[in-house]
Amino acid sequence: MKMIHLPVPGHEEATLEGYILDCEISLGQDTNRPAIVICPGGGYVYCSPREAEPVALRYAGRGFHAFILRYSTGWDAADFAPLQEVSWAIGYLRAHAEQWHIDPNKIATCGFSAGGHLALAAGLLADNKPNAMILGYPAVTTPNTPQSNFMVKLLAGKQTVTDEDCARFSLENFITPDAPPVFLTATAEDGLSPYGALLVANCYSRLGLGYELHMFQHGPHGYALADETTADGSSQVLNAAFAHWHDLSVQWLYRIFGQLTFTDKSTSRMGKIMADMGLIPGGGADFA
């Protein structure tokens, strides 16, 4: 596995981190794989670590190249800087698709809460759009209320916002017939954003677009992987039922992008290395 850490040009606080799976022709692993760009939640106030590296590693463990966008937060998010950053990240992956064995037509965004807002915005508004989106308890709509207009204040870069400002960042207003397919998951007891997942599903349904919605009954906001990996010492974010969302999202991605394919070829380098060392004759095929 190759790991990268890159600054986002022109955005001092933003970075793109990546886990690129081994892709060596000699190992028969030169198949182009799908990629996931993960946008952690945190209300655009910060990027939650619980929804970053653990999620990326889980997708990498299922055969996807996985990247974490630590986008601008706080007042650095003004002028919707995170949207510019996720668009750059997707474009950067496509520009390096041949080098990293990424299928440029199989790039998904995955986001949680405010990161779900950003992952969806990428598919609706970015110059470089993903081919699919995975949204966990997304904060989709931003009415002019204290519960949501703080995000608008940060994205607009001003302390006082209007209804028009809030409408600008309410993404249900921008879902069109060419929107990418979306996977949605949330809990009915989430006091913050179950409505966001239902709202997106309703818009997609009315337009006849591809979507999959999994609404689990129990649990609060912010489950992440909902198991010990992301519990961070709190039993409140453990939920065996909700933890199935990740497997469900992988199965959905396989249906959208197609199953991963592999060649019938050994991945052992032992024979070649032994032959190079003069320990065995020839190319060491018997050890391949």
Side-chain angles (χ1 to χ4, degrees), residues 116-128:
H117 181 273
L118 179 57
L120 178 60
L124 304 179
L125 302 172
D127 292 332
N128 298 305

Side-chain angles (χ1 to χ4, degrees), residues 269-282 284 287:
R269 299 194 220 186
M270 184 175 176
K272 182 179 184 307
I273 294 172
M274 291 175 69
D276 290 344
M277 295 172 66
L279 297 174
I280 58 175
F287 290 84

Side-chain angles (χ1 to χ4, degrees), residues 7-15 70 72 76 78 80-82 84-85 88:
V8 178
H11 296 255
E12 183 177 351
E13 300 299 322
T15 61
R70 300 187 191 275
S72 295
D76 289 332
F80 211 171
Q84 303 164 37
E85 294 156 6
W88 172 85

Side-chain angles (χ1 to χ4, degrees), residues 26-237:
S26 62
L27 300 184
Q29 295 176 336
D30 54 325
T31 300
N32 287 342
R33 298 173 181 265
I36 314 283
V37 178
I38 295 157
C39 305
Y44 290 111
V45 175
Y46 82 122
C47 286
S48 169
R50 296 177 53 253
E51 296 161 343
E53 186 176 46
V55 179
L57 291 175
R58 189 67 59 87
Y59 277 113
R62 298 299 298 272
F64 298 87
H65 300 303
F67 299 83
I68 303 163
L69 178 66
R70 300 187 191 275
Y71 50 88
S72 295
T73 56
W75 294 113
D76 289 332
D79 299 321
F80 211 171
L83 179 61
Q84 303 164 37
E85 294 156 6
V86 71
S87 181
W88 172 85
I90 294 167
Y92 192 88
L93 296 191
R94 290 196 172 118
H96 291 78
E98 183 176 358
Q99 175 186 353
W100 292 337
H101 291 279
I102 294 172
D103 189 322
N105 298 312
K106 296 180 180 179
I107 296 176
T109 50
C110 172
F112 305 87
S113 193
H117 181 273
L118 179 57
L120 178 60
L124 304 179
L125 302 172
D127 292 332
N128 298 305
K129 293 179 171 61
N131 305 102
M133 302 171 295
I134 298 169
L135 311 182
Y137 39 91
V140 171
T141 191
T142 53
N144 199 359
T145 64
Q147 288 76 23
S148 62
N149 69 8
F150 73 91
M151 292 202 322
V152 178
K153 291 177 180 179
L154 295 175
L155 297 176
K158 53 187 181 180
Q159 287 281 6
T160 302
V161 295
T162 65
D163 290 345
E164 289 74 20
D165 292 322
C166 293
R168 175 187 167 198
F169 298 105
S170 290
L171 297 181
E172 71 274 15
N173 298 326
F174 302 97
I175 297 175
T176 58
D178 61 347
V182 65
F183 176 97
L184 301 141
T185 186
T187 63
E189 293 178 351
D190 182 342
L192 292 177
S193 63
Y195 177 64
L198 295 171
L199 181 60
V200 173
N202 182 56
C203 291
Y204 266 62
S205 180
R206 286 190 292 103
L207 293 172
L209 298 174
Y211 75 95
E212 186 164 311
L213 169 65
H214 295 274
M215 182 66 69
F216 297 86
Q217 181 173 354
H218 299 298
H221 188 75
Y223 262 135
L225 292 173
D227 62 16
E228 292 80 2
T229 311
T230 56
D232 198 20
S234 173
S235 62
Q236 294 185 28
V237 287

Side-chain angles (χ1 to χ4, degrees), residues 7-26:
V8 178
H11 296 255
E12 183 177 351
E13 300 299 322
T15 61
L16 181 67
E17 301 171 11
Y19 298 88
I20 303 168
L21 300 182
D22 292 330
C23 294
E24 298 186 25
I25 294 176
S26 62

